[in-house]
């Protein structure tokens, strides 16, 4: 038996050696925070310090050195994030992930993100191009120097930074990533598809009941869309929805398919921001708050940094002032996107304009490759793309485009089986895909602004996405401005971009761009009179505004709650604004609670559930049983009201990231027999509660005192791609219990069609910041993961608990250094 013992010792020794090698590799790949590193291209040493809040402070002798150093820092902290995003926007994911992501690559190649980025780069000023070049060189030289080592993702997938080309980042990649952010916040593309799909089975009245106009408004279009599409013969003669594959897709393939399918859906793609005039603050100076709502990811989308450089001159002799700006940067871009300088602070929300239009392009049955235009038949623009796929042969893609833009029905599967593709295809017109898009240049200029007027001037060239910006400076001035380019439409454009329009009729073409000085705005005097100005993706148009901006606003519950809380205090402080950001009272729940309380459940737990609901005030706290019951009931009710009329497959296609809550409220208010069916709305309400109680008790047991909303509503910051890999996701994802629902200020957007965790918080405050213009060093921030993108670095999860529990970290330009790294030429 001695040999067994010896073998066990040998195996143990081998295990310890292997573990030691792995641990050594992990430690070597962690970001270096102290010491010295040489970086090619610097003109002088650059100081990089990290303070107690883990904010990275970068100070160079020139702005080019500072931007080059920021590229280095993004490479060392977020190297995999940059690599994944570079491949995503270039349509090159399948080269490392295999056939699961071919759908995503096809969409990105069809949109032509990188082709347009290259064209837009040429239209920027030499100063901005040199900034982008310095930044990209910082990333490139970080890898080439060996100072940055690949994180585990590179090793697990066998990937080198930059792939076969070795080009880890380039100036056009920065332009491409700006376009990707515009794509994520772009407009109503997905809503147009929803109206097209629903129009196959609903009449005009029912269609606007399913996707109702903003409260108090009429539908943006009076056209009978179902009748129009029937008359044109748009729909396929059989089966509304493309048949699903018989083989169950992998989690990664399902992510890819869902990402492609859900492009352009507005529900949840929003944010909160508000600015309080000094007359309503304890200090007498403005306060500004911002929490952008984006899909939660690990690492987070943001990286907080402080960029500093003295005044100087560009290489061509052009002078620039001193740079001193702090806030949220986007890995891939060399400037602070959201933050403050010494003099001024700003915050974004998505304006939600209609800057994406879908067009029905009629095909010529006699001449393949031709589509109809106002002046006759014209050939498609065509190009060929080769998608390399790991583990199999290349995929060849023929990309088609019309005078409006790319043909997306070729690469979005939801059109197959819906429209008659022998007669029609669907193309996309999108404001961001124009060569004169200078959004990146506008972003660069904001970093030097010191006053509200200077900030407004900097935003002049912002193109896409269109953002609602609140601003405040240390002089006490405040303002609101919607920044971006808005397309104009002809008076006889009766569809107004709410649904696909006949592409061969000139009346539906865009006629130009609204002058930026006519964008929605609120001046200092108006804000002073009220005391504040807030936006939360509601209809932001001031009274009497004459231009059409869009019709797919987010319902106003978050905005109304912010208004309530701002009005409740005569004098606000930094702490009161933080409390508003973390408020979890759901006005969406409060509007439906009276209906739910009238339910007559048959379930054994029904009486206890109603007792809990009778005492419920709509606060979506993690330890609330009532919050759990309400949200599961709302999901069950939505399914039972809508799926029978839409059809199960169509409903599943449209539901999830789109919640249909306004439709449900309208149906119940009208006691609508079409949607509620023969059993009536009251019976539907009761039956939905029974199903909800069965569903919850099956997992959380029969003791309602133990039921918790937080157990079903964790905030999951998903890693790409290992968030879709069993076992690995436990290492690479970041999870924390969270509060809120779809309608709370502290939003907790869940995707109800997710097969495994339908109530998990997937889309929430990607960061929170409160800027104090009286004492700038008292400003605060937080986000949901941490600065490091390395999954084995404790800093990668450092902020998660603080974010989920409503805590903050100081946002200081003069924070004391805990770590100091010097970059040497």
């Amino acid at each position: 038996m001695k040999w067994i013992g010896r073998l066990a010792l040998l195996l143990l020794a081998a295990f310890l050696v292997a573990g030691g090698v792995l641990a050594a590799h992990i430690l070597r790949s962690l970001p270096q925070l102290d010491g010295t590193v040489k970086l090619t291209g610097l003109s002088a040493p650059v100081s990089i310090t990290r303070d107690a809040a883990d904010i990275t402070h970068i100070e160079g002798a020139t702005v080019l050195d500072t931007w080059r150093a920021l590229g280095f820092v993004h490479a060392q902290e977020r190297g995999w994030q940059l690599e994944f995003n570079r491949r995503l926007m270039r349509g090159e994911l399948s080269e490392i992930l295999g056939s699961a992501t071919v759908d995503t690559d096809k969409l990105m190649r069809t949109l032509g993100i990188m082709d347009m980025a290259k064209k837009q780069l040429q239209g920027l000023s030499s100063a901005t191009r040199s900034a982008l070049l310095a930044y990209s060189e910082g990333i490139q030289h970080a890898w080439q120097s060996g100072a940055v080592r690949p994180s585990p993702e590179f090793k697990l997938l066998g990937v080198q930074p930059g792939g076969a080309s070795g080009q880890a980042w380039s100036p056009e990649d920065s332009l491409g990533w700006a376009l990707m952010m515009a794509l994520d916040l772009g407009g109503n593309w997905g809503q147009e598809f929803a109206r097209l799909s629903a129009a196959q089975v609903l009449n005009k009245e029912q269609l606007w009941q399913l996707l109702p106009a903003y409260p108090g408004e009429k539908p943006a279009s009076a056209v009978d869309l179902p009748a129009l599409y029937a008359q044109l013969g748009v729909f396929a003669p059989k089966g509304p929805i493309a048949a699903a594959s018989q083989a169950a897709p992998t989690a990664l393939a399902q992510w890819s398919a869902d990402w492609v399918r859900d492009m352009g859906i507005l529900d949840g793609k929003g944010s909160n921001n508000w600015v309080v005039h000094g007359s309503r603050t304890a200090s007498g100076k403005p306060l500004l708050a911002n929490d952008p709502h984006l899909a939660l990811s690990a690492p987070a989308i943001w990286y907080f940094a402080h960029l500093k450089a003295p005044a100087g001159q560009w290489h061509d002799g052009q002078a620039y002032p001193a740079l001193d700006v702090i806030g949220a940067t986007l890995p891939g871009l060399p400037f602070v996107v959201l933050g403050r300088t010494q003099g001024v602070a700003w915050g974004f929300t998505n304006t939600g304009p209609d800057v994406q239009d879908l067009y029905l392009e009629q095909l010529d049955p006699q001449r393949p490759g031709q589509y109809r235009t106002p002046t006759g038949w014209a050939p498609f623009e065509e190009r060929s793309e080769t998608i390399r796929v790991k583990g199999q042969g290349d995929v060849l893609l023929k990309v088609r485009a019309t005078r409006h833009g790319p043909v997306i029905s070729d690469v979005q599967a939801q059109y197959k089986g819906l429209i008659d593709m022998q007669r029609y295809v669907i193309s996309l017109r999108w404001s961001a895909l124009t060569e004169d898009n200078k959004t990146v240049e506008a972003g660069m200029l904001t970093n030097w602004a010191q006053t509200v007027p200077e900030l407004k001037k900097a935003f002049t060239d912002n193109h896409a996405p269109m953002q609602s910006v609140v601003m405040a400076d240390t002089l006490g001035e405040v303002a609101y401005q919607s920044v971006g380019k808005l397309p104009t439409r002809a008076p006889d454009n009766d569809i107004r971009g709410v649904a696909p329009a006949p592409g061969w009729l000139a009346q539906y073409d865009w006629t130009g761009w609204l002058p930026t000085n006519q964008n929605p705005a609120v001046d200092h005097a108006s804000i002073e009179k009220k005391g504040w100005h807030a936006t939360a993706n509601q209809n932001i148009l001031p009274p009497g505004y004459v231009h059409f901006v869009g019709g797919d606003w987010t319902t106003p519950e978050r905005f109304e709650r912010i208004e309530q809380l701002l009005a409740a205090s005569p004098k606000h402080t930094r702490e009161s604004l933080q409390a508003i950001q973390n408020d979890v009272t759901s006005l969406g729940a409060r509007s439906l609670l009276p209906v739910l309380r009238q339910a007559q459940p048959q379930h054994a737990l029904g009486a206890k559930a109603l007792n809990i609901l009778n005492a419920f005030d709509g606060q979506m706290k993690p330890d609330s049983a009532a919050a759990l019951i309400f949200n599961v009931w709302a999901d069950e009710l939505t399914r039972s009201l809508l799926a029978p009329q839409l059809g199960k497959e169509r409903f599943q296609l449209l539901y999830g990231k789109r919640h249909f809550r306004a439709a449900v409220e309208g149906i119940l208010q009208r006691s609508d027999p079409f949607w509620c069916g023969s059993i009536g709305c009251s019976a539907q309400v009761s039956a939905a509660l029974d199903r909800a109680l069965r569903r919850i008790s099956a997992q959380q047991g029969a003791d309602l005192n133990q039921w918790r909303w937080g157990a079903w509503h964790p905030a999951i910051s998903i890693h790409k791609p290992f968030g879709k890999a069993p076992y690995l996701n436990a290492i690479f994802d970041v999870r924390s219990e969270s509060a809120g629902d779809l309608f709370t200020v502290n939003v907790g957007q869940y995707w109800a069609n997710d097969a495994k965790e339908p109530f998990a918080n997937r889309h929430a405050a990607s960061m929170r910041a409160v800027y104090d213009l009286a004492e700038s060093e008292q400003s605060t921030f937080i986000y949901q993961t941490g600065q490091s993108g390395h999954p084995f670095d404790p800093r990668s999860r450092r902020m998660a608990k603080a974010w989920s529990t409503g805590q903050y970290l100081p946002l200081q330009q003069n924070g004391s250094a805990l770590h100091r790294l010097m970059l040497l030429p």
Side-chain angles (χ1 to χ4, degrees), residues 47-326:
S47 169
I48 300 177
T49 63
R50 271 93 171 175
D51 64 18
D54 207 19
I55 295 173
T56 301
H57 301 259
I58 303 173
E59 184 171 1
T62 69
V63 289
L64 290 176
D65 282 353
T66 297
W67 289 323
R68 188 172 276 108
L70 178 62
F72 173 89
V73 167
H74 281 168
Q76 71 167 177
E77 298 272 41
R78 302 293 183 85
W80 175 253
Q81 185 178 38
L82 288 168
E83 178 68 18
F84 186 92
N85 291 343
R86 186 186 66 82
R87 289 183 174 276
L88 171 64
M89 64 190 175
R90 288 177 174 268
E92 296 176 355
L93 284 178
S94 300
E95 188 175 336
I96 62 171
L97 299 177
S99 59
T101 54
V102 167
D103 286 346
T104 297
D105 286 346
K106 285 182 175 180
L107 177 62
M108 300 316 301
R109 300 290 184 97
T110 298
L111 291 175
I113 295 293
M114 294 311 301
D115 288 342
M116 184 54 66
K118 292 175 183 176
K119 295 175 182 177
Q120 291 175 357
L121 181 63
Q122 301 309 310
L124 302 180
S125 68
S126 61
T128 300
R129 290 200 305 272
S130 63
L132 296 175
L133 180 60
Y135 172 77
S136 63
E137 287 177 345
I139 296 173
Q140 192 69 19
H141 293 151
W143 289 112
Q144 291 175 346
S145 68
V148 174
R149 294 185 174 89
S151 58
E153 297 95 333
F154 289 96
K155 295 296 185 181
L156 287 169
L157 291 169
V159 176
Q160 293 296 319
S165 70
Q167 183 67 46
W169 202 259
S170 66
E172 54 263 33
D173 287 324
S174 291
L175 272 293
W177 194 240
L179 284 173
M180 291 297 291
M181 293 306 299
L183 181 64
D184 189 49
L185 299 170
N188 73 334
W189 168 6
Q191 291 296 85
E192 290 193 43
F193 169 78
R195 292 190 179 97
L196 173 66
S197 180
Q200 189 179 29
V201 293
L202 302 178
N203 63 31
K204 176 184 176 183
E205 181 181 14
Q206 295 157 357
L207 179 62
W208 287 105
Q209 290 170 351
L210 178 71
L211 296 162
Y214 191 77
E217 297 182 1
K218 295 179 179 179
S221 173
V223 172
D224 189 334
L225 296 170
L228 172 65
Y229 296 144
Q231 177 187 353
L232 294 174
V234 169
F235 297 115
K238 295 180 181 179
I241 305 296
S245 171
Q246 296 299 313
T250 65
L252 185 59
Q254 190 64 57
W255 166 81
S256 177
D258 291 350
W259 190 83
V260 172
R261 178 199 67 199
D262 295 334
M263 190 58 61
I265 295 177
L266 282 175
D267 282 1
K269 289 187 176 179
S271 311
N272 305 316
N273 68 8
W274 58 91
V275 61
V276 182
H277 187 270
S279 62
R280 294 294 296 268
T281 70
S283 70
K285 287 292 182 74
L287 291 166
L288 189 148
N290 189 201
D291 54 295
H293 305 160
L294 296 167
L296 301 180
S297 62
I301 192 171
W302 305 109
Y303 183 87
F304 270 75
H306 173 207
L307 309 179
K308 191 172 182 179
Q313 290 186 335
W314 299 104
H315 56 82
D316 58 4
Q318 181 181 348
Y320 60 82
L323 178 72
D324 192 357
V325 60
I326 189 170

Side-chain angles (χ1 to χ4, degrees), residues 336-583:
V336 169
V337 178
L338 295 167
R340 65 173 175 84
T341 65
Q342 291 284 359
V344 69
W346 66 97
F348 289 172
T349 67
N350 189 14
T351 304
D354 189 342
V355 295
Q356 295 172 336
D357 277 0
L358 298 183
Y359 289 92
L360 289 163
E361 307 289 8
Q362 189 174 17
L363 304 179
D364 185 350
Q366 304 302 320
R367 287 172 291 184
Q370 301 271 316
Y371 72 100
R372 189 178 175 188
T373 76
T375 57
W377 298 95
F380 288 98
E381 297 176 25
E382 295 185 358
R383 70 177 190 276
S384 296
E385 296 277 351
T386 301
I387 299 173
R388 295 180 178 178
V389 183
K390 184 178 181 180
Q392 68 178 57
D394 294 348
V395 172
L396 301 180
L397 175 67
K398 181 174 73 173
V399 176
R400 297 191 289 178
T402 72
R403 65 194 187 94
H404 297 117
V407 176
I408 60 170
S409 57
D410 286 347
V411 291
Q412 282 194 298
Q414 60 262 44
Y415 292 99
K416 296 183 175 75
L418 175 64
I419 64 173
D420 186 345
M421 301 188 79
Q422 299 300 312
R423 303 181 66 187
Y424 296 99
V425 294
I426 302 284
S427 67
L428 169 70
R429 179 88 194 264
W430 175 30
S431 66
L433 294 180
T434 58
E435 295 183 25
D436 64 345
N437 184 343
K438 296 184 179 180
T439 297
V440 168
E441 188 147 307
M444 292 288 301
L445 292 174
T446 63
N447 284 202
W448 276 288
Q450 298 298 325
T451 65
V452 165
E454 289 179 3
L455 196 58
K456 288 181 177 180
K457 183 179 179 181
F459 277 123
T460 300
D461 282 331
N462 190 80
H463 192 120
M466 194 175 200
Q467 298 286 282
S468 292
V469 187
V470 291
M471 319 171 198
D473 62 31
T474 54
L475 301 176
E477 186 164 357
V478 293
Y480 161 79
Q481 177 77 51
S482 183
V483 301
K485 293 190 74 171
L486 185 71
T488 56
R489 297 171 174 85
D492 59 347
N493 184 340
D494 48 7
I495 294 179
R496 304 183 87 185
V498 304
W504 59 93
L505 298 179
Q507 73 190 78
Y508 297 116
D509 291 341
W510 292 358
T511 58
W513 302 98
L514 185 71
T516 55
N517 61 8
Q518 295 182 37
N519 284 351
V522 181
D523 61 17
H524 175 92
S526 298
I527 297 176
E528 181 178 22
K529 182 178 180 181
K530 182 178 180 179
W532 68 85
H533 186 78
T535 79
N537 318 113
Q538 82 284 4
N539 184 340
I540 47 82
L541 303 182
Y545 190 76
V546 297
H547 303 291
F548 178 73
V549 174
D552 288 317
W553 312 104
T554 296
T555 52
E557 292 87 356
R558 279 187 290 113
F559 170 70
E560 290 172 354
R561 181 60 179 165
I562 292 168
E563 291 280 294
Q564 289 176 2
L565 295 170
L566 287 172
S569 176
K571 297 288 183 180
H572 281 282
T573 62
R574 182 178 65 255
E575 290 77 14
S576 70
L577 266 59
Q578 292 173 348
I580 296 173
Q581 285 185 329
N582 287 280
D583 185 78

